Amino acid sequence: MAKNIVIIGGGIVGLSSAYFLHKAGHQVTVIDKSDITSGASFVNAGYITPSHIIPLASPGKIAQGIKWMFNSASPFYMKPRWDVDFFKWSWYFHKSSTKEKVEKAIPVIKDINLLSFDLFKAMKASGDLGEFQLERKGLLMLYQTQKSFDHEIDVAKKASFLGLEVKELNKEELTKLQPKVLVNAEGAIHYECDGHTTPTEFMPKLVTYLKSVGVIIKTNEEVIDVAFTDTKITSIKTTKAQYKPDEVVMAAGSWSGKLSKKLHISLPLQAGKGYRINVERDTGITIPSILMESSMAVTPMQGFTRFAGTMEFSGINTIVRRERVAAIVNGAKRFYPELDILPNEIDAVQTGLRPVSPDGLPYIGRSKDLTNLTFATGHAMMGWSLGPATGKLVSELIDAQKTSMDISAFNPNRKF
């Protein structure tokens, strides 16, 4: 039976949910406070990463964050501030950062990433969006020190055990793979299982397709209130209109926590700001790479190379911290000594806010309090990678179908 569904949020997760819900025969309206041309879904590294099996909340991460707290240029920056929600989230993050919880999360993260990769491929094969970049060149984890190698080889062994394709490369082998650019690295771990896209190409094509098939997309429209009874959302009020949906999908990214409060639901979530710089000229870089000691990502996209990185917890804001931008520029130079990022490229930097749950796993599932509310948020650094999978799972949940995978680990009602 067709339902009238409102999706709050027009990022990759919200639009992917609209895609699969429309395919299932529902009438879908997407509401976004922006014009859907910027934000985390546009400034990310474009990775589809089955290899990213370790959640953000891992042993030693909080200690590292505290160590870096007063260095605003650090890769993992937690701005000191008086914020009760941030204190609670930090405590939950600490509780989640155990070896046992990480080991439990690893196979689930792998499974949802593989599901999403298959769905990206299916979306391309369908022709719905026309032609778009979807390549599987893998991901190079470039290292300069023994410490970084020791850390990554341990992850690689876990990935290989789970059946993911991974290879160890020495300096000579790395040079053969990247012959057109000088790479200052001792070697790399090559996760051949990974793929990449160009977000600024994919997102507009997805919006265009959704509009063409009758999905209603409301931009520059902010949700300001949500009315509900004891068990059901009855209406959504925005800055421009009022809606009375049968079902609601909360896919508002970093704003999901604040909106959930309007429903008297506590959803621990913090905004993790990332930065990106685009270099619109030939860099010679042809394979996506993580520069380990610089804690940043490099991706060859359609028409440019993207340098992206940092995780900054400073609340919901789009303030550009120049010291963090400089850290990306310097980090790139450390690995690519012959590559200069130019002042005009630096000035065009953009930021995006990634919604981070305390354990680094997304919230995908039905609310236990409101029968017509489904959560689809909290993906941390995997939002782009997991967009289609989340959309597919959301459509299955709303249609009360068996989900494509076990999603109990993503339960939005879980305790920390």
Side-chain angles (χ1 to χ4, degrees):
M1 179 180 170
K3 295 179 180 179
N4 175 23
I5 301 172
V6 167
I7 299 172
I8 304 176
I12 179 66
V13 171
L15 295 184
S16 293
S17 297
Y19 180 88
F20 288 103
L21 285 167
H22 172 265
K23 291 282 188 184
H26 301 292
Q27 176 56 55
V28 183
T29 300
V30 178
I31 303 172
D32 196 276
K33 65 197 294 292
S34 76
D35 61 0
I36 314 185
T37 61
S38 61
S41 292
F42 287 82
V43 306
N44 64 83
Y47 292 165
I48 308 167
T49 51
S51 70
H52 277 34
I53 54 176
I54 307 297
L56 185 63
S58 54
K61 206 68 178 180
I62 278 288
Q64 189 179 58
I66 293 172
K67 178 182 176 182
W68 283 340
M69 186 172 284
F70 298 101
N71 176 11
S72 59
S74 63
F76 185 76
Y77 175 56
M78 305 170 79
K79 181 184 177 183
R81 64 191 189 278
W82 185 264
D83 182 330
V84 174
D85 288 338
F86 181 61
F87 293 154
K88 287 181 179 178
W89 179 91
S90 298
W91 173 240
Y92 296 152
F93 188 99
H94 170 70
K95 288 174 66 179
S96 300
S97 300
T98 66
K99 183 179 179 181
E100 292 74 22
K101 290 184 177 180
V102 167
E103 292 295 329
K104 192 174 180 181
I106 285 173
V108 184
I109 294 173
K110 181 211 71 168
D111 288 346
I112 191 171
N113 269 288
L114 289 175
L115 171 63
S116 214
F117 206 157
D118 285 343
L119 291 169
F120 266 112
K121 289 185 283 189
M123 291 171 80
K124 181 158 186 167
S126 72
D128 290 340
L129 278 62
E131 185 59 33
F132 63 88
Q133 183 193 31
L134 178 63
E135 297 188 66
R136 184 181 165 179
K137 292 184 175 179
L139 177 66
L140 294 171
M141 300 295 292
L142 302 176
Y143 64 87
Q144 296 177 331
T145 64
Q146 186 67 36
K147 181 180 179 182
S148 292
F149 170 78
D150 290 343
H151 167 80
E152 197 56 39
I153 198 65
D154 183 54
V155 177
K157 288 175 181 176
K158 289 181 172 69
S160 181
F161 178 77
L162 291 170
L164 299 176
E165 302 93 335
V166 56
K167 183 185 293 183
E168 184 182 341
L169 304 176
N170 60 32
K171 203 165 189 171
E172 183 181 351
E173 291 166 329
L174 177 59
T175 300
K176 287 181 180 178
L177 264 185
Q178 293 282 258
K180 295 181 180 180
V181 62
L182 176 63
V183 182
N184 180 25
E186 292 303 308
I189 303 298
H190 189 193
Y191 291 99
E192 299 174 312
C193 50
D194 288 11
H196 72 284
T197 58
T198 299
T200 50
E201 175 189 51
F202 183 88
M203 286 291 286
K205 287 178 180 285
L206 182 52
V207 169
T208 298
Y209 168 75
L210 291 173
K211 287 180 177 179
S212 74
V213 294
V215 172
I216 299 168
I217 298 183
K218 299 288 188 176
T219 56
N220 299 306
E221 188 168 335
E222 185 173 0
V223 173
I224 55 177
D225 200 14
V226 184
F228 60 98
T229 62
D230 289 341
T231 60
K232 191 175 182 180
I233 293 174
T234 54
S235 70
I236 294 173
K237 183 180 180 182
T238 73
T239 48
K240 296 181 180 179
Q242 190 162 352
Y243 304 85
K244 295 185 180 296
D246 298 319
E247 294 278 351
V248 177
V249 179
M250 182 66 75
S254 294
W255 289 264
S256 299
K258 286 190 173 184
L259 286 172
S260 294
K261 283 186 176 182
K262 294 181 181 294
L263 300 167
H264 301 166
I265 294 173
S266 176
L267 191 74
L269 202 67
Q270 286 292 312
K273 189 191 298 179
Y275 294 69
R276 74 96 178 109
I277 298 171
N278 291 342
V279 174
E280 297 182 1
R281 49 199 163 86
D282 186 15
T283 60
I285 299 168
T286 59
I287 301 176
S289 304
I290 297 287
L291 316 183
M292 292 192 66
E293 284 80 6
S294 296
S295 298
M296 58 181 286
V298 183
T299 315
M301 295 186 178
Q302 291 287 69
F304 59 91
T305 302
R306 174 164 291 179
F307 297 83
T310 84
M311 180 63 84
E312 174 188 326
F313 294 103
S314 60
I316 294 181
N317 67 77
T318 55
I319 297 169
V320 173
R321 293 177 179 271
R322 289 294 160 183
E323 65 273 26
R324 300 189 71 72
V325 179
I328 292 176
V329 173
N330 295 335
K333 189 70 172 176
R334 178 175 176 177
F335 278 81
Y336 304 106
E338 294 181 347
L339 175 65
D340 292 314
I341 298 179
L342 304 177
N344 64 302
E345 294 162 340
I346 296 170
D347 290 341
V349 67
Q350 288 188 3
T351 66
L353 300 175
R354 297 160 291 195
V356 185
S357 69
D359 58 5
L361 298 177
Y363 295 118
I364 307 172
R366 288 290 211 172
S367 165
K368 66 177 176 61
D369 303 299
L370 298 169
T371 58
N372 62 341
L373 174 63
T374 301
F375 287 100
T377 187
H379 295 72
M381 294 182 292
M382 293 183 289
W384 184 261
S385 186
L386 302 184
T390 303
K392 178 66 173 175
L393 292 167
V394 164
S395 71
E396 292 168 343
L397 286 165
I398 287 178
D399 281 344
Q401 296 177 345
K402 179 177 171 55
T403 54
S404 297
M405 61 172 288
D406 180 3
I407 60 170
S408 56
F410 310 139
N411 186 349
N413 312 299
R414 62 188 183 269
K415 301 297 182 183
F416 295 102

